[in-house]
Amino acid sequence: MKRICSLIFAAMIAAVPMAAQAEVTELRIPMGAGGFGFLPLHMMKEHKLIEKHSATAGVPVTVNWANIGGPSVMNEALLSGSADFISAGPPAFLTLWDRTKGTPIEVKAAAGMSSMPMYLNTSAEHLKSLDDIKPEDKIAVTAVKVSIPSIIMQMHALAKYGKAEAFRFDRNTVSMTHPDGVIAMLTGNKQITAHYTSPPFHHREIKEKNIRTIQTTSDVMGGSTTFTMISTTERFQKANPKVFSAFLAALKESMQMIAADKPGAAKVLLASMGGKGWEIDELVAILNDKDIKYTTASENLMKYAEFMHGIGTLKNKPASWKEMFFPEMHNQDGN
């Protein structure tokens, strides 16, 4: 009789659904490389938007904002599990998506974050275009091979010199943060001939009479293109659906706040850059530039993917942009 009772009790216990594993209580998010492309993250941090939306969803979290940036560093942070969401440009995201596709930690895009051009600036008299680059010239980029400028220059090389020469400008690139690139340009560092950079670092450089722009990413891409985007692992998204949704809600609110109060957003941006070097009016003028947009939609992502697959950088070719995004973003426009 005791055995029968024990078996019945065991069966009853087995029939009771296991309690769902609790979602995370802390998010780890690197701040990115800095500048206008990462402004939504700084708005989210300043106004505690993730905390606000996660509390509303019943899954309150604290946020650990790590002060690191650069595509390679961000990718490794996500793969190692030391970051939950990362932000980077499309080439770095695509590299990580391709590398993890079909694995337990498959990486997908949570959302786009910004769209804006990048600018190849130089003070070297002999450089009238990228094609004038000599072997001894060095171009500062945030990461060799996988950064937006690196891929853009590969696209340019393929179009002009053919597939065999797609990587001809890679040997001229060196990894350098945007602020260090600006310093190199303004101090006349002879080792750095040019800097492929983004707002507001571009705007600071072209204040100098001897610095000019010889190429933009829009020249090569043929229009507005995603500059920064947010990604995470499928494992994290499935384990933390409410926190994931709260993050997206916070991201969207940050974009609404930028659009509604550009002077306020400029103050947050200035503080993120050390609080000096710019007037608020100057930053607001850049925010009003029609080429600078904050949107969760992807723009020209497939153009990057098709190119990188075509030259062998990506093993997998996505059928559409939706294949690379979580379903929560499938109802928006994208390309």
Side-chain angles (χ1 to χ4, degrees):
M1 186 65 168
K2 288 183 179 180
R3 176 171 175 74
I4 293 174
C5 289
S6 297
L7 290 173
I8 293 173
F9 180 74
M12 290 173 64
I13 293 296
V16 176
M18 294 292 290
Q21 184 177 350
E23 297 195 21
V24 296
T25 57
E26 180 190 38
L27 282 181
R28 299 156 302 169
I29 307 174
M31 294 302 295
F36 277 75
F38 300 86
L39 177 55
L41 295 180
H42 292 284
M43 296 292 287
M44 293 160 75
K45 178 183 178 182
E46 175 69 19
H47 298 285
K48 296 187 180 299
L49 299 181
I50 297 176
E51 293 89 338
K52 167 187 168 182
H53 286 280
S54 64
T56 300
V59 285
V61 299
T62 58
V63 184
N64 179 357
W65 297 96
N67 190 29
I68 63 171
S72 298
V73 174
M74 300 287 258
N75 282 1
E76 291 307 316
L78 188 61
L79 289 179
S80 68
S82 60
D84 298 311
F85 289 96
I86 62 169
S87 52
F93 161 73
L94 287 164
T95 300
L96 198 53
W97 169 81
D98 182 64
R99 180 178 171 185
T100 61
K101 183 175 173 59
T103 71
I105 58 169
E106 184 166 352
V107 174
K108 289 186 178 180
M113 186 161 67
S114 68
S115 292
M116 62 189 71
M118 294 189 72
Y119 307 81
L120 178 57
N121 294 334
T122 184
S123 60
E125 293 184 4
H126 69 280
L127 294 182
K128 308 303 180 186
S129 72
L130 176 60
D131 301 302
D132 296 324
I133 289 286
K134 297 179 179 179
E136 63 270 21
D137 289 323
K138 297 300 178 184
I139 304 170
V141 298
T142 51
V144 299
K145 293 189 179 295
V146 299
S147 63
I148 289 175
S150 295
I151 301 300
I152 289 293
M153 288 187 282
Q154 290 169 13
M155 287 181 170
H156 174 86
L158 175 67
K160 183 151 189 176
Y161 302 102
K163 189 172 182 178
E165 288 291 307
F167 303 102
R168 68 180 287 145
F169 298 115
D170 282 7
R171 58 181 173 267
N172 296 101
T173 60
V174 293
S175 293
M176 187 173 288
T177 66
H178 288 308
D180 285 344
V182 172
I183 292 171
M185 293 291 287
L186 300 189
T187 58
N189 184 326
K190 299 300 182 182
Q191 295 178 323
I192 303 300
T193 309
H195 182 201
Y196 223 132
T197 190
S198 59
F201 310 105
H202 157 71
H203 295 79
R204 176 62 187 91
E205 290 177 356
I206 61 170
K207 283 184 177 181
E208 304 299 314
K209 291 182 179 180
N210 65 322
I211 296 178
R212 63 195 184 282
T213 302
I214 58 174
Q215 187 184 77
T216 72
T217 53
S218 295
D219 295 336
V220 178
M221 296 297 283
S224 184
T225 306
T226 292
F227 175 60
T228 53
M229 54 196 301
I230 303 288
S231 61
T232 188
T233 65
E234 194 166 46
R235 175 185 292 173
F236 177 87
Q237 190 267 349
K238 286 182 177 179
N240 302 279
K242 291 182 180 180
V243 171
F244 180 84
S245 295
F247 177 90
L248 290 183
L251 178 63
K252 292 174 183 177
E253 184 175 359
S254 75
M255 295 175 179
Q256 294 166 357
M257 292 178 73
I258 294 169
D261 182 12
K262 290 179 180 174
K267 290 178 182 178
V268 172
L269 180 62
L270 182 60
S272 76
M273 297 188 297
K276 57 185 179 181
W278 291 91
E279 297 296 329
I280 294 298
D281 289 347
E282 292 178 300
L283 297 178
V284 170
I286 299 173
L287 283 172
N288 284 324
D289 186 331
K290 63 179 177 58
D291 291 330
I292 295 180
K293 298 186 291 183
Y294 296 100
T295 173
T296 56
S298 67
E299 297 188 304
N300 266 328
L301 181 61
M302 285 301 294
K303 184 172 287 189
Y304 275 121
E306 290 165 358
F307 168 78
M308 293 173 69
H309 179 264
I311 62 172
T313 303
L314 299 183
K315 294 180 181 178
N316 300 286
K317 181 180 179 181
S320 77
W321 66 271
K322 291 183 179 180
E323 183 180 340
M324 298 176 285
F325 275 73
F326 289 105
E328 286 81 353
M329 288 288 111
H330 288 184
N331 62 349
Q332 67 179 0
D333 292 333
N335 57 61

